[in-house]
Amino acid sequence: MYRRVRGEEIALIFQDPMTRLNPLMTVQDHFVEEIQVHESVSSTEARNRAREALVSMGIHETRIRNYPHEFSGGMRQRIMIALALVLKPSLLIADEPTTSLDVIVEAQILEILQDLKQVYSMSLLLITHNLGIVAEVCDRVAVLYAGKLVELGSVRDIFHKPLHPYTQGLLSSIIHLETKQLHSIEGSPPDLIAPPSGCRFHPRCSFAESICRDKIPPLVEFEPGHFAACHFGDKFL
Amino acid sequence: MSTPAVAVQRELRDELLRLDELKVHFPVKMPFIQRLLQREEAAVHAVDGISFGIRAGEILGLVGESGCGKSTVGRACVRLVKPTSGRIFFGGQNITKLGGENLRVLRKRIQIIFQDPHASLNPAMTIGRGIGHPLWIHRSSLGPQKSGPEKFGEWVRQRVLNTMREVGLTPEAQLYDKLPGDLSGGQKQRAVIARALILKPDLLVVDEGVSMLDMSIRARVLELMLDLKRRHGLTYLFITHDLATAKFICDRIAIMYMGRIVEIGPAREIYADPKHPYTKALLQVIPIPDPDKRKEKVLPRGEVPDAVHPPAGCRFHPRCPAVLATCGWEGRDFVDFLDEHLSDQKRAGDDESVLGPIEGWRADGLVASLKAKPLNVEKTVERVKAVLAEAPIAMTQAIESVSGRNRTVTVRFRSPDQLLQTNVQDRLVECLLYQ
């Protein structure tokens, strides 16, 4: 049952393309195995589809018999994306897809991911800590803190009108080219074995009052499509 | 009256560190037979002739992508790797070949901080002992060494506690006996900084010192570094891949690509008006945290080439969006272009029977050649010429001749112009566009 969803409906690409490919298998074997697990097609047919998928990611088809170590980091990440796409899933989950890559290669991979939305009309769940990437690629954003969803909204709402103090702190601590003054969030992330009571952010929050310690704030829709889990969310509207 | 020569000398005196044509090559391990057949020793050209100086009290940023050699430069400054050639001066003294006791004395004055605070601390040593360890190592050259071990131990403890307070590793008395495993990432990095500072060094090499830290903690560690610079007049070599952080903290910036410095100058000017196409590309790809400022980018093609065989001429030329005909085009650039051309699906398949197979092409320096079937030579020459019309214009202009003789098709490039560092508005740029 899971098998029919995994790969065919939902595909996943990981942070580290260096270790996610089997070093003892050629690129072609990765594809053939994946396709034949899900569909009953001949190896020739599977190889043809593998070739198509690779070429669509800008990798020469003569390299299909190469081993993972013969490719650079960016190429390996493109192979990972090709592997994820060959079954034409409707949702792609990308977990920090560019964190281990260089900035220029990162921009190249992000361009590919953006194209996917248009070419395959595929949905993308992008997991990242890099807010710059979020601003460039995403339509909607969910902000997590200590295992809880604290804010959810369109990318414009989140960046221009953040409602949760954690989101605000996160945005002001970005170091970008226009940074004149450094900001940081006081304290450090909580211990998840014994998380803080009430709002999990309250020990680090400069707006916290007693209600924040006593009561878990529900996720409330403060304006259409813009949710936040803060007792004082309307203060920032 | 000061003549230019005197001015240069004064500048040298103000410089704490100077690298002069520094090269660090790492030999590539290969089987014995292959080594016999090889004409020259294969080596990774990690650092390939770089020169720069750091003035006392300055923060110099060394910026580049991974594998460009920036960390190797940092390690060479501390003499952790042996330079292949070139010279390193520290405070006017040539330290390139220093060894033994002299090197140990030098290490008191130059300290290094590595990227990963978790791996930089001995997990079996308490924080206090770890931070104080350099004092024990350099005991013979420190003040109160003549008094007994107990006295010295007490002196070390006081100095460790003071340094911990200074870097914000508090409450210092409680943390003194903790093990690194009990500390958070930010605290560990503060411990590493404390250990580097305890000998009161003149120069601190920071190799990606904040890259592993969370955004919110990173800001605080950067502030600490700036604060230490103000209070102690510390000099930094700040090695990073993050241009935004470098802009915030550095006085001057050096941009490195494949073992060469392509642009060096005051940070403010480089960010306001980058000159080298590689600097422009790097600045352009920094994501802007504002969804309203999304824009199309012109990205350099491909990835960083193999550092064992760096491209001829300017090393950025195969990827450069502003490349000229004289930038260093060579045989393998043609083979790479042909490879790309043949793999393009949209083209007719019969191309490869005349132009290829791609594996048949050999590149040697400025020449690319193909052993063709006797009947095909002329046809291939014609086809190569036709295909070149679609190549980057700079590459086509760089080709001297396409000829067919003795069953061999040869594509020959002109020799490139010599690349020199040029002074452009307060900075040095290594690019033919400004020569």
Side-chain angles (χ1 to χ4, degrees):
Chain A
M1 183 59 211
Y2 277 134
R3 231 175 212 191
R4 228 175 298 149
V5 177
R6 283 188 188 148
E8 281 174 55
E9 290 297 325
I10 307 175
L12 180 60
I13 53 178
F14 295 96
Q15 173 163 11
D16 187 1
M18 301 296 171
T19 56
R20 293 295 173 177
L21 295 165
N22 187 335
L24 300 178
M25 279 164 75
T26 62
V27 168
Q28 171 175 291
D29 295 341
H30 282 90
F31 280 95
V32 171
E33 181 184 277
E34 185 190 328
I35 294 169
Q36 288 187 333
V37 161
H38 290 278
E39 293 167 30
S40 48
V41 294
S42 68
S43 298
T44 325
E45 163 75 17
R47 273 198 292 275
N48 286 339
R49 281 175 58 185
R51 212 165 285 140
E52 261 170 51
L54 275 184
V55 171
S56 74
M57 286 293 127
I59 291 171
H60 197 310
E61 57 181 295
T62 54
R63 303 203 58 182
I64 196 160
R65 280 198 203 86
N66 289 32
Y67 285 90
H69 76 265
E70 297 171 274
F71 294 92
S72 67
M75 285 172 110
R76 271 184 251 188
Q77 193 58 291
R78 288 207 292 258
I79 293 169
M80 291 282 297
I81 296 175
L83 269 171
L85 295 180
V86 73
L87 294 172
K88 306 226 179 331
S90 41
L91 172 64
L92 179 67
I93 302 176
D95 185 1
E96 301 268 14
T98 60
T99 306
S100 56
L101 303 174
D102 276 321
V103 278
I104 291 176
V105 182
E106 170 179 284
Q108 291 167 345
I109 297 286
L110 289 178
E111 228 166 47
I112 292 175
L113 289 178
Q114 268 166 306
D115 285 348
L116 293 182
K117 276 196 312 198
Q118 274 122 39
V119 178
Y120 296 83
S121 61
M122 183 184 291
S123 309
L124 177 67
L125 175 63
L126 183 72
I127 302 168
T128 180
H129 72 277
N130 187 333
L131 284 160
I133 293 179
V134 172
E136 296 225 331
V137 178
C138 303
D139 301 317
R140 290 201 305 143
V141 186
V143 183
L144 280 174
Y145 179 76
K148 290 267 191 199
L149 192 62
V150 297
E151 190 159 357
L152 174 70
S154 74
V155 69
R156 284 205 168 73
D157 285 346
I158 298 286
F159 277 83
H160 297 322
K161 292 184 283 182
L163 295 181
H164 198 284
Y166 175 64
T167 315
Q168 294 163 7
L170 209 55
L171 286 169
S172 64
S173 67
I174 306 175
I175 300 172
H176 56 95
L177 285 179
E178 263 90 63
T179 304
K180 299 274 183 301
Q181 185 85 46
L182 293 178
H183 294 279
S184 54
I185 305 172
E186 283 306 312
S188 45
D191 177 9
L192 290 183
I193 294 173
S197 63
C199 172
R200 291 186 171 185
F201 187 60
H202 85 261
R204 303 174 72 187
C205 181
S206 49
F207 303 102
E209 290 181 26
S210 59
I211 183 175
C212 302
R213 198 172 52 237
D214 302 333
K215 201 162 159 271
I216 297 175
L219 196 65
V220 177
E221 187 167 13
F222 283 96
E223 49 184 334
H226 190 181
F227 300 80
C230 176
H231 293 300
F232 301 103
D234 42 3
K235 216 164 85 180
F236 305 108
L237 262 178
Chain B
M1 277 272 290
S2 68
T3 60
V6 173
V8 167
Q9 261 189 353
R10 182 176 311 135
E11 193 159 299
L12 273 176
R13 234 193 348 260
D14 290 342
E15 273 176 356
L16 188 61
L17 184 83
R18 164 136 296 264
L19 305 183
D20 181 27
E21 281 300 308
L22 182 76
K23 286 189 188 180
V24 184
H25 295 178
F26 298 111
V28 177
K29 288 203 179 93
M30 54 173 76
F32 179 67
I33 293 287
Q34 220 176 336
R35 222 162 48 214
L36 284 181
L37 297 174
Q38 205 92 18
R39 269 173 299 169
E40 54 194 309
E41 198 77 15
V44 177
H45 298 63
V47 179
D48 213 14
I50 69 168
S51 309
F52 65 77
I54 309 181
R55 284 186 285 273
E58 176 184 58
I59 302 185
L60 177 76
L62 192 56
V63 183
E65 294 176 275
S66 64
C68 73
K70 56 190 193 299
S71 288
T72 308
V73 172
R75 278 154 204 254
C77 293
V78 196
R79 289 286 318 279
L80 284 176
V81 295
K82 212 172 117 200
T84 308
S85 68
R87 292 179 300 173
I88 309 169
F89 293 94
F90 182 74
Q93 180 197 5
N94 187 342
I95 61 164
T96 324
K97 296 237 157 65
L98 229 53
E101 183 56 27
N102 290 335
L103 186 59
R104 204 154 69 111
V105 172
L106 173 79
R107 293 236 163 99
K108 239 175 86 181
R109 303 181 60 198
I110 312 179
Q111 287 285 315
I112 185 164
I113 294 172
F114 295 105
Q115 172 165 14
D116 187 354
H118 312 285
S120 305
L121 293 167
N122 184 339
M125 247 189 213
T126 61
I127 294 298
R129 264 195 71 201
I131 295 174
H133 202 213
L135 293 175
W136 286 100
I137 293 171
H138 292 278
R139 190 182 174 192
S140 57
S141 57
L142 292 166
Q145 82 276 24
K146 288 206 181 67
S147 37
E150 271 155 51
K151 277 248 178 80
F152 186 72
E154 190 44 41
W155 179 77
V156 167
R157 189 184 160 82
Q158 279 314 317
R159 188 135 160 204
V160 170
L161 288 172
N162 285 341
T163 314
M164 284 173 76
R165 212 173 307 127
E166 183 162 22
V167 301
L169 196 59
T170 49
E172 68 273 14
Q174 274 100 302
L175 290 173
Y176 190 90
D177 291 315
K178 287 265 190 325
L179 287 169
D182 304 327
L183 267 59
S184 71
Q187 283 177 317
K188 273 187 229 177
Q189 195 59 300
R190 279 171 200 267
V192 172
I193 294 174
R195 187 180 58 187
L197 287 178
I198 197 129
L199 289 164
K200 300 199 192 314
D202 301 312
L203 175 69
L204 207 52
V205 177
V206 184
D207 188 359
E208 300 276 11
V210 295
S211 308
M212 297 248 316
L213 303 176
D214 265 353
M215 264 301 170
S216 60
I217 298 162
R218 186 182 296 189
R220 271 177 268 160
V221 173
L222 285 175
E223 248 156 23
L224 170 67
M225 288 184 187
L226 284 172
D227 188 41
L228 291 170
K229 175 194 155 180
R230 276 190 292 267
R231 272 191 284 152
H232 301 289
L234 259 179
T235 309
Y236 290 90
L237 176 61
F238 194 85
I239 300 167
T240 183
H241 70 275
D242 181 358
L243 273 160
T245 306
K247 183 187 183 194
F248 185 80
I249 193 167
C250 299
D251 303 312
R252 284 197 308 143
I253 304 256
I255 309 278
M256 240 182 124
Y257 183 74
M258 292 201 76
R260 302 279 305 172
I261 286 180
V262 297
E263 184 164 359
I264 179 168
R268 203 178 308 130
E269 266 120 77
I270 287 189
Y271 283 92
D273 180 21
K275 293 291 181 201
H276 198 284
Y278 180 63
T279 318
K280 286 183 187 169
L282 277 182
L283 279 173
Q284 187 200 198
V285 297
I286 300 177
I288 302 161
D290 186 345
D292 290 337
K293 289 188 183 155
R294 287 182 192 178
K295 58 170 193 262
E296 283 293 311
K297 294 167 176 171
V298 189
L299 298 177
R301 287 167 299 135
E303 291 180 49
V304 182
D306 180 12
V308 178
H309 307 287
C314 170
R315 286 164 188 208
F316 190 54
H317 85 259
R319 308 174 69 195
C320 182
V323 65
L324 305 172
T326 46
C327 282
W329 294 102
E330 53 188 329
R332 64 184 141 139
D333 290 322
F334 174 75
V335 178
D336 285 346
F337 160 72
L338 208 59
D339 189 9
E340 215 172 283
H341 178 84
L342 289 173
S343 64
D344 199 330
Q345 283 175 305
K346 288 182 290 262
R347 277 172 228 287
D350 67 347
D351 257 0
E352 193 147 355
S353 62
V354 189
L355 282 173
I358 190 69
E359 292 82 14
W361 280 92
R362 291 273 165 272
D364 185 16
L366 293 172
V367 176
S369 57
L370 172 76
K371 287 250 183 288
K373 296 194 192 87
L375 286 174
N376 266 352
V377 171
E378 237 156 77
K379 231 161 106 193
T380 308
V381 170
E382 283 314 303
R383 198 70 201 113
V384 166
K385 282 182 178 161
V387 160
L388 277 173
E390 293 164 45
I393 186 90
M395 186 171 103
T396 316
Q397 288 168 349
I399 288 175
E400 193 174 77
S401 64
V402 182
S403 59
R405 205 175 302 135
N406 299 337
R407 300 170 61 184
T408 308
V409 180
T410 312
V411 178
R412 186 179 295 277
F413 284 85
R414 287 187 190 87
S415 2
D417 285 355
Q418 207 199 348
L419 194 60
L420 299 166
Q421 283 202 326
T422 321
N423 240 314
V424 191
Q425 297 168 11
D426 298 336
R427 66 189 106 160
L428 288 172
V429 184
E430 194 176 74
C431 179
L432 286 177
L433 286 172
Y434 303 97
Q435 230 158 275

